[in-house]
Amino acid sequence: MRKARRQSASQVASAGAPIELYYWPTPNGWKVSIMLEECALPYVVRPVDISKGEQFTPQFLAISPNNRMPAIVDPRGPGGRPISVFESGAILQYLGRKTGKFYPQDERARVAVDEWLFWQMSGLGPMAGQAVHFRRCAPRQIAYAIARYTDEVNRLYGVMNSRLANREFLAGYYSIADMACVGWVRLAERQGQDLAQFPHLRRWFETIRARDAVKRAFAIRIPAASAVDMRDPKVRAVLFGQRAR
């Protein structure tokens, strides 16, 4: 478990209990750990071993009705009362409103952030996830599926590359939209992509990856995650064999 960010006694007293981050080291998990680090919010990591089905426990279901991590519990939510938030995009928006950081109040600027945040949620994430699945996790190689998702991710990378040709970040300035995307781009090779083909995207990625908060977020280690055997039928059944309950 990651310890809360180190603070002085007075800071701890004023901040209260840390935010609980229900986490596994995936692009969706990295989004929230990056935001927590960037905002210097005290938090603790509660690992959710998705390979063992811990996301389906009644305790986690009460926090995340979709049985997916990440999720957070903020003991000092609106009105000073605890609140739980699931879905990575909703968490980023909540933390942005809570802290006033990386999510502007100006409506025009906020629309730009929301556009690229939801672009990631509806496009980059699902397509990149399918590309990784069919390239690396499927029990047999299906040429059509590999080409379909690899090509679509390539198209989406091209969209980002064009967007970043004349601006430093997706919404013009560093925001939760960039945090939402950077973890997926981190896995470009697994998706069959070569960042050398996208120079503006590569510049953006290297800029964000060099940030201290991002380095800390990516450095969170969950030893059990490294030991997961994706060839294990039990693991595959948990990750890829779920139906309505």
Side-chain angles (χ1 to χ4, degrees), residues 26-31 88 120-121 123-130 132 153 157 160 178-191 193 195 204-205 218:
T26 71
N28 286 328
W30 293 330
K31 297 177 194 177
S88 57
Q120 184 280 307
M121 300 292 294
L124 179 62
M127 296 300 104
Q130 293 295 342
V132 172
V153 174
Y157 275 32
M160 292 183 75
D178 302 290
M179 299 179 204
C181 293
V182 69
W184 292 103
V185 177
R186 188 186 188 196
L187 302 182
E189 184 176 352
R190 297 186 187 185
Q191 301 153 16
Q193 309 304 321
L195 288 185
W204 168 90
F205 174 67
F218 283 160

PDB file of all heavy atoms in Angstrom, residues 26-31 88 120-121 123-130 132 153 157 160 178-191 193 195 204-205 218:
ATOM      1  N   THR A  26      -2.895   0.123 -14.258  1.00  0.00           N
ATOM      2  CA  THR A  26      -3.368   0.133 -15.638  1.00  0.00           C
ATOM      3  C   THR A  26      -3.497   1.591 -16.066  1.00  0.00           C
ATOM      4  O   THR A  26      -3.438   2.499 -15.235  1.00  0.00           O
ATOM      5  CB  THR A  26      -4.737  -0.547 -15.764  1.00  0.00           C
ATOM      6  OG1 THR A  26      -5.730   0.300 -15.165  1.00  0.00           O
ATOM      7  CG2 THR A  26      -4.758  -1.918 -15.085  1.00  0.00           C
ATOM      8  N   PRO A  27      -3.701   1.852 -17.360  1.00  0.00           N
ATOM      9  CA  PRO A  27      -3.881   3.255 -17.777  1.00  0.00           C
ATOM     10  C   PRO A  27      -4.998   3.970 -17.042  1.00  0.00           C
ATOM     11  O   PRO A  27      -4.882   5.165 -16.759  1.00  0.00           O
ATOM     12  CB  PRO A  27      -4.170   3.124 -19.277  1.00  0.00           C
ATOM     13  CG  PRO A  27      -3.414   1.905 -19.692  1.00  0.00           C
ATOM     14  CD  PRO A  27      -3.575   0.952 -18.534  1.00  0.00           C
ATOM     15  N   ASN A  28      -6.084   3.272 -16.726  1.00  0.00           N
ATOM     16  CA  ASN A  28      -7.163   3.926 -15.990  1.00  0.00           C
ATOM     17  C   ASN A  28      -6.752   4.225 -14.550  1.00  0.00           C
ATOM     18  O   ASN A  28      -7.108   5.264 -13.996  1.00  0.00           O
ATOM     19  CB  ASN A  28      -8.424   3.065 -16.018  1.00  0.00           C
ATOM     20  CG  ASN A  28      -9.110   3.108 -17.375  1.00  0.00           C
ATOM     21  OD1 ASN A  28      -9.066   4.116 -18.064  1.00  0.00           O
ATOM     22  ND2 ASN A  28      -9.735   2.011 -17.751  1.00  0.00           N
ATOM     23  N   GLY A  29      -6.009   3.331 -13.936  1.00  0.00           N
ATOM     24  CA  GLY A  29      -5.508   3.594 -12.598  1.00  0.00           C
ATOM     25  C   GLY A  29      -4.501   4.728 -12.578  1.00  0.00           C
ATOM     26  O   GLY A  29      -4.508   5.574 -11.668  1.00  0.00           O
ATOM     27  N   TRP A  30      -3.629   4.779 -13.581  1.00  0.00           N
ATOM     28  CA  TRP A  30      -2.608   5.830 -13.623  1.00  0.00           C
ATOM     29  C   TRP A  30      -3.228   7.211 -13.720  1.00  0.00           C
ATOM     30  O   TRP A  30      -2.688   8.175 -13.175  1.00  0.00           O
ATOM     31  CB  TRP A  30      -1.681   5.595 -14.821  1.00  0.00           C
ATOM     32  CG  TRP A  30      -0.836   4.374 -14.706  1.00  0.00           C
ATOM     33  CD1 TRP A  30      -0.362   3.808 -13.560  1.00  0.00           C
ATOM     34  CD2 TRP A  30      -0.365   3.554 -15.780  1.00  0.00           C
ATOM     35  NE1 TRP A  30       0.378   2.681 -13.850  1.00  0.00           N
ATOM     36  CE2 TRP A  30       0.389   2.505 -15.214  1.00  0.00           C
ATOM     37  CE3 TRP A  30      -0.505   3.605 -17.170  1.00  0.00           C
ATOM     38  CZ2 TRP A  30       1.000   1.520 -15.976  1.00  0.00           C
ATOM     39  CZ3 TRP A  30       0.091   2.628 -17.945  1.00  0.00           C
ATOM     40  CH2 TRP A  30       0.843   1.593 -17.349  1.00  0.00           C
ATOM     41  N   LYS A  31      -4.349   7.337 -14.419  1.00  0.00           N
ATOM     42  CA  LYS A  31      -4.980   8.656 -14.535  1.00  0.00           C
ATOM     43  C   LYS A  31      -5.168   9.303 -13.167  1.00  0.00           C
ATOM     44  O   LYS A  31      -4.854  10.479 -12.967  1.00  0.00           O
ATOM     45  CB  LYS A  31      -6.372   8.535 -15.171  1.00  0.00           C
ATOM     46  CG  LYS A  31      -6.449   8.014 -16.560  1.00  0.00           C
ATOM     47  CD  LYS A  31      -7.928   7.913 -16.941  1.00  0.00           C
ATOM     48  CE  LYS A  31      -8.135   7.086 -18.173  1.00  0.00           C
ATOM     49  NZ  LYS A  31      -9.574   6.943 -18.497  1.00  0.00           N
ATOM     50  N   SER A  88     -13.056   6.687 -13.985  1.00  0.00           N
ATOM     51  CA  SER A  88     -11.848   7.510 -13.938  1.00  0.00           C
ATOM     52  C   SER A  88     -12.096   8.953 -14.390  1.00  0.00           C
ATOM     53  O   SER A  88     -11.565   9.899 -13.808  1.00  0.00           O
ATOM     54  CB  SER A  88     -10.741   6.873 -14.788  1.00  0.00           C
ATOM     55  OG  SER A  88     -11.169   6.686 -16.127  1.00  0.00           O
ATOM     56  N   GLN A 120     -10.983  10.655 -24.978  1.00  0.00           N
ATOM     57  CA  GLN A 120     -10.207   9.533 -24.451  1.00  0.00           C
ATOM     58  C   GLN A 120     -11.124   8.440 -23.918  1.00  0.00           C
ATOM     59  O   GLN A 120     -10.915   7.257 -24.199  1.00  0.00           O
ATOM     60  CB  GLN A 120      -9.278  10.017 -23.333  1.00  0.00           C
ATOM     61  CG  GLN A 120      -8.360   8.943 -22.771  1.00  0.00           C
ATOM     62  CD  GLN A 120      -9.040   8.035 -21.766  1.00  0.00           C
ATOM     63  OE1 GLN A 120      -9.640   8.505 -20.801  1.00  0.00           O
ATOM     64  NE2 GLN A 120      -8.965   6.731 -21.987  1.00  0.00           N
ATOM     65  N   MET A 121     -12.138   8.833 -23.164  1.00  0.00           N
ATOM     66  CA  MET A 121     -13.008   7.844 -22.534  1.00  0.00           C
ATOM     67  C   MET A 121     -13.769   7.015 -23.572  1.00  0.00           C
ATOM     68  O   MET A 121     -13.974   5.810 -23.388  1.00  0.00           O
ATOM     69  CB  MET A 121     -14.013   8.552 -21.613  1.00  0.00           C
ATOM     70  CG  MET A 121     -13.381   9.370 -20.490  1.00  0.00           C
ATOM     71  SD  MET A 121     -12.561   8.364 -19.238  1.00  0.00           S
ATOM     72  CE  MET A 121     -13.947   7.518 -18.527  1.00  0.00           C
ATOM     73  N   GLY A 123     -13.003   6.890 -27.026  1.00  0.00           N
ATOM     74  CA  GLY A 123     -12.244   6.456 -28.190  1.00  0.00           C
ATOM     75  C   GLY A 123     -10.900   5.846 -27.878  1.00  0.00           C
ATOM     76  O   GLY A 123     -10.697   4.643 -28.029  1.00  0.00           O
ATOM     77  N   LEU A 124      -9.968   6.669 -27.436  1.00  0.00           N
ATOM     78  CA  LEU A 124      -8.600   6.188 -27.251  1.00  0.00           C
ATOM     79  C   LEU A 124      -8.531   5.001 -26.300  1.00  0.00           C
ATOM     80  O   LEU A 124      -7.893   3.988 -26.610  1.00  0.00           O
ATOM     81  CB  LEU A 124      -7.707   7.326 -26.749  1.00  0.00           C
ATOM     82  CG  LEU A 124      -6.248   6.945 -26.495  1.00  0.00           C
ATOM     83  CD1 LEU A 124      -5.569   6.484 -27.779  1.00  0.00           C
ATOM     84  CD2 LEU A 124      -5.491   8.111 -25.861  1.00  0.00           C
ATOM     85  N   GLY A 125      -9.176   5.103 -25.147  1.00  0.00           N
ATOM     86  CA  GLY A 125      -9.100   4.018 -24.166  1.00  0.00           C
ATOM     87  C   GLY A 125      -9.687   2.712 -24.674  1.00  0.00           C
ATOM     88  O   GLY A 125      -9.005   1.680 -24.687  1.00  0.00           O
ATOM     89  N   PRO A 126     -10.958   2.715 -25.098  1.00  0.00           N
ATOM     90  CA  PRO A 126     -11.550   1.460 -25.583  1.00  0.00           C
ATOM     91  C   PRO A 126     -10.828   0.868 -26.781  1.00  0.00           C
ATOM     92  O   PRO A 126     -10.616  -0.351 -26.848  1.00  0.00           O
ATOM     93  CB  PRO A 126     -12.985   1.888 -25.943  1.00  0.00           C
ATOM     94  CG  PRO A 126     -13.263   3.060 -25.065  1.00  0.00           C
ATOM     95  CD  PRO A 126     -11.957   3.793 -24.956  1.00  0.00           C
ATOM     96  N   MET A 127     -10.427   1.699 -27.737  1.00  0.00           N
ATOM     97  CA  MET A 127      -9.765   1.165 -28.933  1.00  0.00           C
ATOM     98  C   MET A 127      -8.372   0.638 -28.605  1.00  0.00           C
ATOM     99  O   MET A 127      -7.975  -0.436 -29.076  1.00  0.00           O
ATOM    100  CB  MET A 127      -9.681   2.245 -30.016  1.00  0.00           C
ATOM    101  CG  MET A 127     -11.025   2.712 -30.543  1.00  0.00           C
ATOM    102  SD  MET A 127     -12.020   1.390 -31.301  1.00  0.00           S
ATOM    103  CE  MET A 127     -13.229   1.098 -30.002  1.00  0.00           C
ATOM    104  N   ALA A 128      -7.624   1.384 -27.779  1.00  0.00           N
ATOM    105  CA  ALA A 128      -6.298   0.908 -27.396  1.00  0.00           C
ATOM    106  C   ALA A 128      -6.398  -0.368 -26.574  1.00  0.00           C
ATOM    107  O   ALA A 128      -5.582  -1.286 -26.726  1.00  0.00           O
ATOM    108  CB  ALA A 128      -5.560   1.990 -26.611  1.00  0.00           C
ATOM    109  N   GLY A 129      -7.397  -0.438 -25.708  1.00  0.00           N
ATOM    110  CA  GLY A 129      -7.587  -1.644 -24.908  1.00  0.00           C
ATOM    111  C   GLY A 129      -7.873  -2.861 -25.772  1.00  0.00           C
ATOM    112  O   GLY A 129      -7.337  -3.955 -25.540  1.00  0.00           O
ATOM    113  N   GLN A 130      -8.709  -2.684 -26.797  1.00  0.00           N
ATOM    114  CA  GLN A 130      -9.006  -3.797 -27.696  1.00  0.00           C
ATOM    115  C   GLN A 130      -7.781  -4.177 -28.525  1.00  0.00           C
ATOM    116  O   GLN A 130      -7.540  -5.356 -28.798  1.00  0.00           O
ATOM    117  CB  GLN A 130     -10.173  -3.424 -28.609  1.00  0.00           C
ATOM    118  CG  GLN A 130     -11.497  -3.255 -27.891  1.00  0.00           C
ATOM    119  CD  GLN A 130     -12.008  -4.554 -27.280  1.00  0.00           C
ATOM    120  OE1 GLN A 130     -11.581  -5.651 -27.629  1.00  0.00           O
ATOM    121  NE2 GLN A 130     -12.925  -4.424 -26.343  1.00  0.00           N
ATOM    122  N   VAL A 132      -4.642  -3.963 -27.593  1.00  0.00           N
ATOM    123  CA  VAL A 132      -3.774  -4.754 -26.721  1.00  0.00           C
ATOM    124  C   VAL A 132      -4.346  -6.149 -26.529  1.00  0.00           C
ATOM    125  O   VAL A 132      -3.621  -7.157 -26.570  1.00  0.00           O
ATOM    126  CB  VAL A 132      -3.583  -4.047 -25.368  1.00  0.00           C
ATOM    127  CG1 VAL A 132      -2.844  -4.964 -24.385  1.00  0.00           C
ATOM    128  CG2 VAL A 132      -2.816  -2.742 -25.534  1.00  0.00           C
ATOM    129  N   VAL A 153      -6.407   2.703 -33.560  1.00  0.00           N
ATOM    130  CA  VAL A 153      -5.520   3.399 -32.625  1.00  0.00           C
ATOM    131  C   VAL A 153      -4.550   4.280 -33.396  1.00  0.00           C
ATOM    132  O   VAL A 153      -4.263   5.411 -32.986  1.00  0.00           O
ATOM    133  CB  VAL A 153      -4.764   2.400 -31.731  1.00  0.00           C
ATOM    134  CG1 VAL A 153      -3.734   3.129 -30.868  1.00  0.00           C
ATOM    135  CG2 VAL A 153      -5.738   1.649 -30.829  1.00  0.00           C
ATOM    136  N   TYR A 157      -4.074   8.202 -32.788  1.00  0.00           N
ATOM    137  CA  TYR A 157      -2.768   8.825 -32.539  1.00  0.00           C
ATOM    138  C   TYR A 157      -2.537   9.965 -33.526  1.00  0.00           C
ATOM    139  O   TYR A 157      -1.961  11.000 -33.182  1.00  0.00           O
ATOM    140  CB  TYR A 157      -1.654   7.787 -32.651  1.00  0.00           C
ATOM    141  CG  TYR A 157      -1.396   6.990 -31.394  1.00  0.00           C
ATOM    142  CD1 TYR A 157      -2.416   6.687 -30.506  1.00  0.00           C
ATOM    143  CD2 TYR A 157      -0.122   6.523 -31.098  1.00  0.00           C
ATOM    144  CE1 TYR A 157      -2.190   5.950 -29.352  1.00  0.00           C
ATOM    145  CE2 TYR A 157       0.122   5.783 -29.949  1.00  0.00           C
ATOM    146  CZ  TYR A 157      -0.909   5.497 -29.088  1.00  0.00           C
ATOM    147  OH  TYR A 157      -0.666   4.772 -27.957  1.00  0.00           O
ATOM    148  N   MET A 160      -4.377  13.013 -32.306  1.00  0.00           N
ATOM    149  CA  MET A 160      -3.616  13.685 -31.249  1.00  0.00           C
ATOM    150  C   MET A 160      -2.416  14.419 -31.826  1.00  0.00           C
ATOM    151  O   MET A 160      -2.113  15.549 -31.427  1.00  0.00           O
ATOM    152  CB  MET A 160      -3.142  12.669 -30.208  1.00  0.00           C
ATOM    153  CG  MET A 160      -4.229  12.032 -29.385  1.00  0.00           C
ATOM    154  SD  MET A 160      -3.553  10.915 -28.119  1.00  0.00           S
ATOM    155  CE  MET A 160      -2.937  12.087 -26.921  1.00  0.00           C
ATOM    156  N   ASP A 178      -4.932  15.618 -20.497  1.00  0.00           N
ATOM    157  CA  ASP A 178      -3.613  15.029 -20.751  1.00  0.00           C
ATOM    158  C   ASP A 178      -3.352  13.858 -19.815  1.00  0.00           C
ATOM    159  O   ASP A 178      -2.806  12.828 -20.235  1.00  0.00           O
ATOM    160  CB  ASP A 178      -2.536  16.099 -20.567  1.00  0.00           C
ATOM    161  CG  ASP A 178      -2.734  17.284 -21.480  1.00  0.00           C
ATOM    162  OD1 ASP A 178      -2.549  17.133 -22.696  1.00  0.00           O
ATOM    163  OD2 ASP A 178      -3.099  18.359 -20.978  1.00  0.00           O
ATOM    164  N   MET A 179      -3.741  14.009 -18.558  1.00  0.00           N
ATOM    165  CA  MET A 179      -3.549  12.922 -17.590  1.00  0.00           C
ATOM    166  C   MET A 179      -4.323  11.680 -18.011  1.00  0.00           C
ATOM    167  O   MET A 179      -3.864  10.548 -17.806  1.00  0.00           O
ATOM    168  CB  MET A 179      -4.004  13.372 -16.205  1.00  0.00           C
ATOM    169  CG  MET A 179      -3.249  14.550 -15.642  1.00  0.00           C
ATOM    170  SD  MET A 179      -3.901  15.015 -14.018  1.00  0.00           S
ATOM    171  CE  MET A 179      -3.388  16.736 -13.936  1.00  0.00           C
ATOM    172  N   ALA A 180      -5.500  11.884 -18.596  1.00  0.00           N
ATOM    173  CA  ALA A 180      -6.322  10.751 -19.014  1.00  0.00           C
ATOM    174  C   ALA A 180      -5.690   9.986 -20.168  1.00  0.00           C
ATOM    175  O   ALA A 180      -5.866   8.770 -20.287  1.00  0.00           O
ATOM    176  CB  ALA A 180      -7.712  11.247 -19.418  1.00  0.00           C
ATOM    177  N   CYS A 181      -4.954  10.683 -21.020  1.00  0.00           N
ATOM    178  CA  CYS A 181      -4.417  10.065 -22.242  1.00  0.00           C
ATOM    179  C   CYS A 181      -3.020   9.483 -22.084  1.00  0.00           C
ATOM    180  O   CYS A 181      -2.666   8.529 -22.789  1.00  0.00           O
ATOM    181  CB  CYS A 181      -4.404  11.087 -23.368  1.00  0.00           C
ATOM    182  SG  CYS A 181      -6.036  11.622 -23.926  1.00  0.00           S
ATOM    183  N   VAL A 182      -2.220  10.049 -21.195  1.00  0.00           N
ATOM    184  CA  VAL A 182      -0.790   9.728 -21.208  1.00  0.00           C
ATOM    185  C   VAL A 182      -0.515   8.258 -20.885  1.00  0.00           C
ATOM    186  O   VAL A 182       0.407   7.660 -21.450  1.00  0.00           O
ATOM    187  CB  VAL A 182      -0.016  10.662 -20.254  1.00  0.00           C
ATOM    188  CG1 VAL A 182      -0.356  10.392 -18.789  1.00  0.00           C
ATOM    189  CG2 VAL A 182       1.481  10.554 -20.493  1.00  0.00           C
ATOM    190  N   GLY A 183      -1.305   7.655 -20.022  1.00  0.00           N
ATOM    191  CA  GLY A 183      -1.070   6.253 -19.681  1.00  0.00           C
ATOM    192  C   GLY A 183      -1.316   5.314 -20.849  1.00  0.00           C
ATOM    193  O   GLY A 183      -0.644   4.285 -20.989  1.00  0.00           O
ATOM    194  N   TRP A 184      -2.284   5.667 -21.708  1.00  0.00           N
ATOM    195  CA  TRP A 184      -2.532   4.845 -22.891  1.00  0.00           C
ATOM    196  C   TRP A 184      -1.385   4.966 -23.882  1.00  0.00           C
ATOM    197  O   TRP A 184      -0.957   3.973 -24.482  1.00  0.00           O
ATOM    198  CB  TRP A 184      -3.859   5.238 -23.530  1.00  0.00           C
ATOM    199  CG  TRP A 184      -5.026   4.868 -22.673  1.00  0.00           C
ATOM    200  CD1 TRP A 184      -5.784   5.699 -21.892  1.00  0.00           C
ATOM    201  CD2 TRP A 184      -5.545   3.549 -22.478  1.00  0.00           C
ATOM    202  NE1 TRP A 184      -6.743   4.982 -21.224  1.00  0.00           N
ATOM    203  CE2 TRP A 184      -6.627   3.656 -21.565  1.00  0.00           C
ATOM    204  CE3 TRP A 184      -5.207   2.295 -22.984  1.00  0.00           C
ATOM    205  CZ2 TRP A 184      -7.359   2.545 -21.153  1.00  0.00           C
ATOM    206  CZ3 TRP A 184      -5.937   1.187 -22.573  1.00  0.00           C
ATOM    207  CH2 TRP A 184      -7.004   1.320 -21.663  1.00  0.00           C
ATOM    208  N   VAL A 185      -0.877   6.190 -24.063  1.00  0.00           N
ATOM    209  CA  VAL A 185       0.239   6.387 -24.979  1.00  0.00           C
ATOM    210  C   VAL A 185       1.497   5.706 -24.449  1.00  0.00           C
ATOM    211  O   VAL A 185       2.350   5.268 -25.224  1.00  0.00           O
ATOM    212  CB  VAL A 185       0.468   7.891 -25.227  1.00  0.00           C
ATOM    213  CG1 VAL A 185       1.682   8.132 -26.122  1.00  0.00           C
ATOM    214  CG2 VAL A 185      -0.779   8.511 -25.853  1.00  0.00           C
ATOM    215  N   ARG A 186       1.594   5.588 -23.136  1.00  0.00           N
ATOM    216  CA  ARG A 186       2.730   4.885 -22.539  1.00  0.00           C
ATOM    217  C   ARG A 186       2.822   3.449 -23.051  1.00  0.00           C
ATOM    218  O   ARG A 186       3.908   2.870 -23.110  1.00  0.00           O
ATOM    219  CB  ARG A 186       2.574   4.885 -21.007  1.00  0.00           C
ATOM    220  CG  ARG A 186       3.773   4.360 -20.251  1.00  0.00           C
ATOM    221  CD  ARG A 186       3.447   4.261 -18.767  1.00  0.00           C
ATOM    222  NE  ARG A 186       4.625   3.934 -17.978  1.00  0.00           N
ATOM    223  CZ  ARG A 186       4.600   3.493 -16.727  1.00  0.00           C
ATOM    224  NH1 ARG A 186       3.440   3.332 -16.093  1.00  0.00           N
ATOM    225  NH2 ARG A 186       5.723   3.211 -16.085  1.00  0.00           N
ATOM    226  N   LEU A 187       1.694   2.868 -23.452  1.00  0.00           N
ATOM    227  CA  LEU A 187       1.651   1.476 -23.922  1.00  0.00           C
ATOM    228  C   LEU A 187       1.576   1.401 -25.444  1.00  0.00           C
ATOM    229  O   LEU A 187       1.058   0.423 -25.996  1.00  0.00           O
ATOM    230  CB  LEU A 187       0.451   0.755 -23.294  1.00  0.00           C
ATOM    231  CG  LEU A 187       0.411   0.721 -21.764  1.00  0.00           C
ATOM    232  CD1 LEU A 187      -0.804  -0.060 -21.290  1.00  0.00           C
ATOM    233  CD2 LEU A 187       1.686   0.137 -21.181  1.00  0.00           C
ATOM    234  N   ALA A 188       2.086   2.420 -26.118  1.00  0.00           N
ATOM    235  CA  ALA A 188       1.971   2.483 -27.577  1.00  0.00           C
ATOM    236  C   ALA A 188       2.504   1.229 -28.267  1.00  0.00           C
ATOM    237  O   ALA A 188       1.886   0.711 -29.210  1.00  0.00           O
ATOM    238  CB  ALA A 188       2.704   3.717 -28.097  1.00  0.00           C
ATOM    239  N   GLU A 189       3.644   0.740 -27.822  1.00  0.00           N
ATOM    240  CA  GLU A 189       4.246  -0.416 -28.490  1.00  0.00           C
ATOM    241  C   GLU A 189       3.336  -1.635 -28.406  1.00  0.00           C
ATOM    242  O   GLU A 189       3.202  -2.388 -29.382  1.00  0.00           O
ATOM    243  CB  GLU A 189       5.604  -0.725 -27.868  1.00  0.00           C
ATOM    244  CG  GLU A 189       6.349  -1.847 -28.568  1.00  0.00           C
ATOM    245  CD  GLU A 189       7.740  -2.085 -27.992  1.00  0.00           C
ATOM    246  OE1 GLU A 189       8.190  -1.274 -27.153  1.00  0.00           O
ATOM    247  OE2 GLU A 189       8.369  -3.083 -28.381  1.00  0.00           O
ATOM    248  N   ARG A 190       2.683  -1.831 -27.255  1.00  0.00           N
ATOM    249  CA  ARG A 190       1.770  -2.964 -27.110  1.00  0.00           C
ATOM    250  C   ARG A 190       0.572  -2.838 -28.050  1.00  0.00           C
ATOM    251  O   ARG A 190      -0.064  -3.831 -28.391  1.00  0.00           O
ATOM    252  CB  ARG A 190       1.272  -3.067 -25.670  1.00  0.00           C
ATOM    253  CG  ARG A 190       2.354  -3.341 -24.647  1.00  0.00           C
ATOM    254  CD  ARG A 190       1.756  -3.569 -23.278  1.00  0.00           C
ATOM    255  NE  ARG A 190       2.772  -3.678 -22.244  1.00  0.00           N
ATOM    256  CZ  ARG A 190       2.520  -3.976 -20.972  1.00  0.00           C
ATOM    257  NH1 ARG A 190       1.277  -4.200 -20.574  1.00  0.00           N
ATOM    258  NH2 ARG A 190       3.507  -4.034 -20.103  1.00  0.00           N
ATOM    259  N   GLN A 191       0.260  -1.615 -28.430  1.00  0.00           N
ATOM    260  CA  GLN A 191      -0.872  -1.362 -29.323  1.00  0.00           C
ATOM    261  C   GLN A 191      -0.452  -1.403 -30.793  1.00  0.00           C
ATOM    262  O   GLN A 191      -1.265  -1.130 -31.671  1.00  0.00           O
ATOM    263  CB  GLN A 191      -1.473   0.008 -28.992  1.00  0.00           C
ATOM    264  CG  GLN A 191      -1.952   0.138 -27.560  1.00  0.00           C
ATOM    265  CD  GLN A 191      -1.927   1.576 -27.064  1.00  0.00           C
ATOM    266  OE1 GLN A 191      -1.842   2.518 -27.847  1.00  0.00           O
ATOM    267  NE2 GLN A 191      -2.005   1.757 -25.756  1.00  0.00           N
ATOM    268  N   GLN A 193       1.956   0.554 -32.151  1.00  0.00           N
ATOM    269  CA  GLN A 193       2.220   1.912 -32.622  1.00  0.00           C
ATOM    270  C   GLN A 193       3.682   2.294 -32.395  1.00  0.00           C
ATOM    271  O   GLN A 193       4.303   1.861 -31.420  1.00  0.00           O
ATOM    272  CB  GLN A 193       1.313   2.913 -31.905  1.00  0.00           C
ATOM    273  CG  GLN A 193      -0.159   2.546 -31.923  1.00  0.00           C
ATOM    274  CD  GLN A 193      -0.704   2.335 -33.326  1.00  0.00           C
ATOM    275  OE1 GLN A 193      -0.351   3.065 -34.259  1.00  0.00           O
ATOM    276  NE2 GLN A 193      -1.558   1.327 -33.481  1.00  0.00           N
ATOM    277  N   LEU A 195       5.832   5.681 -31.880  1.00  0.00           N
ATOM    278  CA  LEU A 195       5.712   7.116 -31.636  1.00  0.00           C
ATOM    279  C   LEU A 195       6.610   7.942 -32.556  1.00  0.00           C
ATOM    280  O   LEU A 195       6.370   9.144 -32.729  1.00  0.00           O
ATOM    281  CB  LEU A 195       6.020   7.435 -30.174  1.00  0.00           C
ATOM    282  CG  LEU A 195       4.972   7.010 -29.137  1.00  0.00           C
ATOM    283  CD1 LEU A 195       5.356   7.509 -27.756  1.00  0.00           C
ATOM    284  CD2 LEU A 195       3.590   7.523 -29.523  1.00  0.00           C
ATOM    285  N   TRP A 204       4.889  15.637 -26.777  1.00  0.00           N
ATOM    286  CA  TRP A 204       3.909  15.773 -25.681  1.00  0.00           C
ATOM    287  C   TRP A 204       4.122  14.694 -24.630  1.00  0.00           C
ATOM    288  O   TRP A 204       4.154  14.973 -23.428  1.00  0.00           O
ATOM    289  CB  TRP A 204       2.510  15.692 -26.291  1.00  0.00           C
ATOM    290  CG  TRP A 204       1.364  15.534 -25.349  1.00  0.00           C
ATOM    291  CD1 TRP A 204       0.637  16.523 -24.754  1.00  0.00           C
ATOM    292  CD2 TRP A 204       0.764  14.292 -24.923  1.00  0.00           C
ATOM    293  NE1 TRP A 204      -0.366  15.983 -23.986  1.00  0.00           N
ATOM    294  CE2 TRP A 204      -0.307  14.617 -24.077  1.00  0.00           C
ATOM    295  CE3 TRP A 204       1.049  12.951 -25.192  1.00  0.00           C
ATOM    296  CZ2 TRP A 204      -1.109  13.635 -23.484  1.00  0.00           C
ATOM    297  CZ3 TRP A 204       0.259  11.982 -24.598  1.00  0.00           C
ATOM    298  CH2 TRP A 204      -0.798  12.324 -23.753  1.00  0.00           C
ATOM    299  N   PHE A 205       4.258  13.446 -25.074  1.00  0.00           N
ATOM    300  CA  PHE A 205       4.421  12.332 -24.147  1.00  0.00           C
ATOM    301  C   PHE A 205       5.693  12.497 -23.315  1.00  0.00           C
ATOM    302  O   PHE A 205       5.664  12.320 -22.088  1.00  0.00           O
ATOM    303  CB  PHE A 205       4.462  11.014 -24.912  1.00  0.00           C
ATOM    304  CG  PHE A 205       4.758   9.824 -24.056  1.00  0.00           C
ATOM    305  CD1 PHE A 205       3.864   9.395 -23.095  1.00  0.00           C
ATOM    306  CD2 PHE A 205       5.958   9.141 -24.193  1.00  0.00           C
ATOM    307  CE1 PHE A 205       4.155   8.300 -22.280  1.00  0.00           C
ATOM    308  CE2 PHE A 205       6.253   8.055 -23.397  1.00  0.00           C
ATOM    309  CZ  PHE A 205       5.348   7.630 -22.435  1.00  0.00           C
ATOM    310  N   PHE A 218       3.671   6.862 -11.828  1.00  0.00           N
ATOM    311  CA  PHE A 218       4.058   5.664 -12.568  1.00  0.00           C
ATOM    312  C   PHE A 218       4.931   4.728 -11.719  1.00  0.00           C
ATOM    313  O   PHE A 218       5.049   3.540 -12.037  1.00  0.00           O
ATOM    314  CB  PHE A 218       4.815   6.048 -13.836  1.00  0.00           C
ATOM    315  CG  PHE A 218       3.946   6.548 -14.959  1.00  0.00           C
ATOM    316  CD1 PHE A 218       4.486   7.303 -15.987  1.00  0.00           C
ATOM    317  CD2 PHE A 218       2.599   6.244 -15.018  1.00  0.00           C
ATOM    318  CE1 PHE A 218       3.708   7.762 -17.045  1.00  0.00           C
ATOM    319  CE2 PHE A 218       1.796   6.698 -16.059  1.00  0.00           C
ATOM    320  CZ  PHE A 218       2.358   7.457 -17.074  1.00  0.00           C
TER     321      PHE A 218
END
